């Protein structure tokens, strides 16, 4: 019964006959036209040639395929991602059209100026400009209407929804619904160039009750007038095709059999298109009468069979290749679609190893694909937050190219970052300004047209920040104990950060301390002063900015110990020649008191030398520990011969004195001798 769609339709349930769920994958590499052909009067006996160079598509669930012969592209609806994907005739992704989850059926107006899209989850029909794919308007069908299939016939849009079918008059915007008794699911809708005013409504549901029921309507007057009805199948009807002359229906269920039936006498169904292949999935009839079947098998038997007009025998057959690297199963072919009025056939398959396999697009027939070469020039290295200029050429003047960053690392979910149009000589320039560091792969992609296959080229650019100039002075100087030293850090060119830290890190257990943190002056300098008691590392630090890497510079300020040697018990002091001497009685033992900067475990080295044979020769070399006050005493005992010249010196020797926190330091020599 006819009624306005604003009325309630209560049929419940969710079905999408052409819903093919699969894991998303983005378009990669390029395709070449399949030219392998099996000729003959029957099915091939030697294995069928394989579809080759399939393009992975960035879709999750292909619900419908529509070929636009005017604008030379193929549209694929993706219910899970809620979008249409427009691809070239060779599979290059040219445009994404976001709509809504549940997007399903598509149909073009007779002149291909308008595209109608059903959106089941939103209970809507969207109308697009077919040339630009811009949305023109949206029709609301009511919350109880779930539209899933669409076709244009008799000057109106007809759409199948769960429980029936409806019409949309483009001139008035009026929608009308027609319930189908016993039909639980959205029917498949077909028309034919040989019978443009005839609409076939077929229940291709997933359950036996009702599946296979076919209604034939005359829609030439804008209303649906029932002409014929019958049962096309005794079981499940999976898909149905309408011959180009408008006289015959072609379809199949779950068995291997394919049927045909006269449109005027559906009960006269007969087996047809014998090819010995099971699990048919889809059928499409071209405007010239050619019939293509898709088979979802995982064996070596054909997956695509093509019969010419007027023949039921396949003249060509193709097999889907193994594309799954894990389970080594061939793809299942789920859909075939002819270019209306043309010779091209497009095939959709997905990996058979799991429910969410990769979807692939295969072009069959048509002009031979020319894959243009892309050449690229890119810098080997670049600095983050600066322009990375990529120039190149493509052998297609006016080609639209896209720049993709890190495409090799994320091939199934990418967004072009920059686009360019090649000039008359095929030259183009693309500029990116990445912020990250590391190795980046840039891919320039051309998606192709109806004559040119997709093509791509890649270049690797290593993003590395500039190294700033950073120094600190003085460096490697030897300084007195307790002296105050001024240090200067110098920072060269940077992008935005001009702050420098100056740290003092004394040798030993004492922690480093921050002396100063501020911006350098106009000359790039920052100074700080410190008092030295130990050898100290001066560390200047720059933390980096958007274009310059972090850096540090180190200088060492070596620091002597405070050291004093005090001899005693002499009875006089006088010079021998020009050298001051201390004089001791032969029966007196000299006493030497050394005072030195204290440090745990520190020792002094006391050296006593005698002059003999024209040289000073060591008589005693002693390492004597210091007490907590930094003092160490030594008494020279024993017999003391007279007339012999002696000298004594105290030293701090780095490492040998028990530590390395100071620079080696020596006291002056003290000269002495013994008399009676």
């Amino acid at each position: 019964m006819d009624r306005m769609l604003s009325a309630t339709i209560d049929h419940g349930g969710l079905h999408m006959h052409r819903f093919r769920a699969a894991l998303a994958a983005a378009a990669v590499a390029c395709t070449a036209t399949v030219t392998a052909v099996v000729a003959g009067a029957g099915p091939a006996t030697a294995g069928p040639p394989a579809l080759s160079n399939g393009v992975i598509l960035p879709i999750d669930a292909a619900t419908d395929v529509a070929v636009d012969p005017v604008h030379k592209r193929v549209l694929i609806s993706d219910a899970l991602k809620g979008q249409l994907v427009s691809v070239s005739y060779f599979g290059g992704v040219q445009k994404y059209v976001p709509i809504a989850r549940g997007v399903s059926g598509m149909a073009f107006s007779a002149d291909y100026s308008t595209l109608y899209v059903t959106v089941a989850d939103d209970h809507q029909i969207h109308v697009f400009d077919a040339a630009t794919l811009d949305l023109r308007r949206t029709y609301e069908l009511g919350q109880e209407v779930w539209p899933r299939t669409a076709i244009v016939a008799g000057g109106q849009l007809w759409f199948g929804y769960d429980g029936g079918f409806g019409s949309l008059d483009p001139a008035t915007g009026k929608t009308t619904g027609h319930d189908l008794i016993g039909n639980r699911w959205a029917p498949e809708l077909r028309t034919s160039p040989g019978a443009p005013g005839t609409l076939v409504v077929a229940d291709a549901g997933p359950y036996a009750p009702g599946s296979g029921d076919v209604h034939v309507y005359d829609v030439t007057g804008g209303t649906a007038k029932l002409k014929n009805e019958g049962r096309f199948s005794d079981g499940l009807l999976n898909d149905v095709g309408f011959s180009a002359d408008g006289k015959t229906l072609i379809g199949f269920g779950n068995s291997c059999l394919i049927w045909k039936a006269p449109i005027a006498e559906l009960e006269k169904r007969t087996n047809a298109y014998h090819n010995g292949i099971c699990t048919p999935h889809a059928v499409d009839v071209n405007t010239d009468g050619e019939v293509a079947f898709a088979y979802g098998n995982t064996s070596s038997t054909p997956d695509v069979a093509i019969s010419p007009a007027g023949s039921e025998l396949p003249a060509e057959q193709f097999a889907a290749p193994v594309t799954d690297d894990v389970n080594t199963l061939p793809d299942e072919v789920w859909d075939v679609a002819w270019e209306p009025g043309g010779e091209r056939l497009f095939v959709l398959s997905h990996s058979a190893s799991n429910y969410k396999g990769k979807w692939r697009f295969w072009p069959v027939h048509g002009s031979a694909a020319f894959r243009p070469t892309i050449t690229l020039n890119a810098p080997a290295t670049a600095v983050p937050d600066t322009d990375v200029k990529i120039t190149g050429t493509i052998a297609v003047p006016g080609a639209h190219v896209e720049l993709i960053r890190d495409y090799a690392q994320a091939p199934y979910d990418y967004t072009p970052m920059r686009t360019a149009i090649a000039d008359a000589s095929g030259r183009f320039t693309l500029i990116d300004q990445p912020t990250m560091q590391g190795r980046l792969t840039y891919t320039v992609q051309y998606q192709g047209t109806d004559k040119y296959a997709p093509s791509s080229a890649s270049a690797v650019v290593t993003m590395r920040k500039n190294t700033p100039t950073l120094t600190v002075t003085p460096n490697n100087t030897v300084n007195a104990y307790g002296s105050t030293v001024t240090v200067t850090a110098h920072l060269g060119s940077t992008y935005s950060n001009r702050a420098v830290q100056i740290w003092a890190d004394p040798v030993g257990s004492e922690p480093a301390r921050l002396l100063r943190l501020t911006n350098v002056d106009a000359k790039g300098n920052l100074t700080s002063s410190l008092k030295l008691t130990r050898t100290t590392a001066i560390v200047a630090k720059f933390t980096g900015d958007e274009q310059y890497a972090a850096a540090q510079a180190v200088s060492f300020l070596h620091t002597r110990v405070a050291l004093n040697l005090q001899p005693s018990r002499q009875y006089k002091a006088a010079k021998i020649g020009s050298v001051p001497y201390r004089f001791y009685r032969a029966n007196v033992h000299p006493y030497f008191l050394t005072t030195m900067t204290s440090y745990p475990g520190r020792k002094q080295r006391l050296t006593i030398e005698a002059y003999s044979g024209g040289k000073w020769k060591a008589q005693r070399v002693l390492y004597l520990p210091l007490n907590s006050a930094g003092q160490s005493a030594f008494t020279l005992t024993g017999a003391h011969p007279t007339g012999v010249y002696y000298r004594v010196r105290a030293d701090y020797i780095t490492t040998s004195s028990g530590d390395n926190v100071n620079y080696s330091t020596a006291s002056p020599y003290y000269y002495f001798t013994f008399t009676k």
Side-chain angles (χ1 to χ4, degrees):
M1 113 181 176
D2 292 357
R3 48 151 177 85
M4 298 301 295
L5 282 180
S6 57
T8 299
I9 302 174
D10 185 12
H11 288 278
L14 173 64
H15 170 64
M16 191 170 292
H17 176 65
R18 301 176 79 84
F19 189 99
R20 323 295 189 194
L23 185 65
V28 297
C30 312
T31 66
T33 300
V34 179
T35 57
V37 174
V38 175
T45 55
L51 298 169
S52 61
N53 300 317
V55 176
I56 298 177
L57 292 180
I59 58 176
D60 284 349
T63 46
D64 200 7
V65 180
V67 182
D68 183 349
V70 173
H71 303 103
K72 306 297 183 182
R73 60 190 172 201
V74 180
L75 299 178
I76 302 167
S77 56
D78 184 343
L80 290 184
K81 285 188 175 180
Q83 65 182 6
L84 300 183
V85 180
S86 173
V87 303
S88 71
Y89 273 4
F90 295 100
V93 176
Q94 297 177 325
K95 190 171 186 178
Y96 298 92
V97 183
I99 301 179
R101 189 178 175 90
V103 60
S104 47
M106 295 180 288
F108 286 105
S109 61
D111 61 359
Y112 289 92
S113 65
T114 303
L115 172 69
Y116 300 94
V117 179
T118 62
V119 186
D121 291 13
D122 284 355
H123 319 283
Q124 296 173 337
I125 293 175
H126 291 241
V127 183
F128 292 88
D129 184 312
T132 63
L133 296 179
D134 293 334
L135 182 65
R136 287 178 178 170
R137 67 166 300 172
T138 299
Y139 291 96
E140 301 287 345
L141 302 181
Q143 291 299 305
E144 301 303 322
V145 180
W146 301 72
R148 305 187 191 279
T149 57
I151 201 166
V152 171
Q156 297 198 56
L157 172 72
W158 299 88
F159 54 92
Y161 57 82
D162 294 353
F165 69 103
S167 62
L168 167 67
D169 187 342
T172 65
K174 178 183 176 181
T175 56
T176 304
H178 309 270
D179 285 346
L180 294 173
I181 304 303
N183 191 303
R184 298 177 56 188
W185 313 107
E188 295 293 333
L189 307 178
R190 298 289 183 266
T191 189
S192 169
T198 299
L199 175 67
V200 175
V201 180
D203 183 348
Y207 297 103
S211 180
D213 288 347
V214 176
H215 300 78
V216 181
Y217 294 90
D218 180 355
V219 296
T220 54
T223 60
K225 298 177 181 179
L226 184 64
K227 293 172 55 178
N228 187 20
E229 61 182 343
R231 189 163 180 77
F232 187 67
S233 170
D234 293 331
L236 298 182
L237 177 62
N238 286 343
D239 199 6
V240 62
F242 199 174
S243 65
D245 60 10
K247 296 179 180 181
T248 307
L249 290 183
I250 306 164
F252 47 82
N254 281 350
S255 69
C256 297
L257 296 178
I258 297 174
W259 309 295
K260 69 176 182 178
I263 193 72
E265 298 178 277
L266 294 173
E267 67 277 4
K268 294 185 178 181
R269 186 192 72 199
T270 59
N271 295 339
Y273 295 94
H274 301 289
N275 51 32
I277 313 171
C278 290
T279 63
H281 274 176
V283 58
D284 194 35
V285 182
N286 199 0
T287 52
D288 66 358
E290 286 185 284
V291 182
F293 294 96
Y295 297 90
N297 63 69
T298 56
S299 66
S300 59
T301 57
D303 296 282
V304 177
I306 303 172
S307 296
S311 173
E312 295 181 10
L313 297 176
E316 297 176 279
Q317 295 179 341
F318 301 94
V322 174
T323 61
D324 188 285
D325 296 332
V326 178
N327 297 316
T328 62
L329 293 175
D331 277 16
E332 294 183 15
V333 174
W334 280 94
D335 219 337
V336 287
W338 287 103
E339 177 192 26
E343 61 178 348
R344 300 175 190 266
L345 177 68
F346 304 102
V347 175
L348 273 188
S349 72
H350 81 89
S351 175
S353 63
N354 55 58
Y355 183 63
K356 289 189 175 183
K358 294 183 179 73
W359 286 86
R360 283 177 173 81
F361 177 93
W362 313 82
V364 183
H365 294 303
S367 62
F370 171 71
R371 185 176 296 106
T373 299
I374 297 176
T375 63
L376 294 182
N377 289 309
T381 61
V383 177
D385 288 293
T386 60
D387 287 347
V388 175
K389 185 177 181 180
I390 298 173
T391 60
T393 62
I394 182 171
V396 182
H400 180 272
V401 294
E402 303 167 335
L403 179 66
I404 304 158
R405 184 202 298 155
D406 278 348
Y407 180 69
Q409 284 69 42
Y412 304 134
D413 188 12
Y414 74 94
T415 300
M417 305 174 54
R418 303 285 187 272
T419 61
I421 302 296
D423 64 16
S425 299
R427 294 187 297 264
F428 59 84
T429 299
L430 293 155
I431 296 176
D432 185 33
Q433 194 175 85
T435 60
M436 70 287 292
Q437 295 188 70
R439 188 175 183 268
L440 301 182
T441 299
Y442 283 101
T443 297
V444 173
Q445 179 106 16
Y446 169 62
Q447 299 294 356
T449 64
D450 61 320
K451 297 180 180 179
Y452 297 103
S455 184
S456 65
S458 297
V460 175
V461 179
T462 300
M463 305 303 296
R464 185 181 297 119
K465 288 187 175 183
N466 288 318
T467 301
T469 299
L470 183 63
T471 60
V472 60
T473 54
N475 180 34
N476 209 30
T477 58
V478 178
N479 304 274
Y481 180 87
S483 60
T484 297
V485 176
T486 297
V487 294
T488 301
H490 177 78
L491 178 65
S493 298
T494 59
Y495 180 68
S496 61
N497 183 12
R498 300 297 292 164
V500 169
Q501 305 169 21
I502 298 179
W503 291 79
D505 187 9
V507 178
S509 59
E510 184 179 339
R513 66 186 187 276
L514 180 63
L515 299 180
R516 198 172 182 195
L517 167 57
T518 190
N519 287 342
V520 297
D521 62 20
K523 295 182 179 180
N525 296 326
L526 180 66
T527 61
S528 183
S529 298
L530 73 160
K531 186 175 182 179
L532 297 174
T533 59
R534 298 185 190 165
T535 293
T536 301
I538 302 300
V539 183
K541 296 181 180 180
F542 170 67
T543 58
D545 57 26
E546 297 90 336
Q547 295 185 16
Y548 284 78
Q552 72 174 31
V554 181
S555 72
F556 287 93
L557 304 180
H558 302 288
T559 306
R560 297 188 176 96
V561 298
L563 176 58
N564 179 59
L565 174 61
Q566 184 61 53
S568 61
R569 297 181 181 174
Q570 68 273 17
Y571 71 90
K572 75 172 182 177
K575 288 184 177 181
I576 299 177
S578 60
V579 179
Y581 270 79
R582 284 171 170 77
F583 291 83
Y584 293 88
R585 300 296 183 183
N587 59 353
V588 174
H589 300 311
Y591 181 80
F592 305 107
L593 178 64
T594 301
T595 303
M596 186 185 299
T597 305
S598 64
Y599 191 81
R602 180 169 286 180
K603 307 180 194 68
Q604 67 144 327
R605 185 180 75 176
L606 190 70
T607 303
I608 301 174
E609 299 177 336
Y611 192 77
S612 174
K615 296 181 180 179
W616 289 102
K617 298 178 181 179
Q619 299 295 302
R620 303 282 297 272
V621 178
L622 307 167
Y623 280 91
L624 305 173
L626 304 177
N627 62 21
S628 59
Q631 293 183 327
S632 175
F634 176 73
T635 301
L636 181 61
T637 60
H640 306 303
T642 60
V644 179
Y645 300 118
Y646 297 92
R647 66 181 183 181
V648 61
R649 186 175 74 178
D651 292 272
Y652 164 80
I653 306 297
T654 301
T655 304
S656 297
S657 288
D659 63 79
N660 62 351
V661 302
N662 286 98
Y663 192 79
S664 295
T665 310
S667 72
Y669 277 108
Y670 290 93
Y671 295 83
F672 64 95
T673 187
F674 293 93
T675 61
K676 292 182 180 180

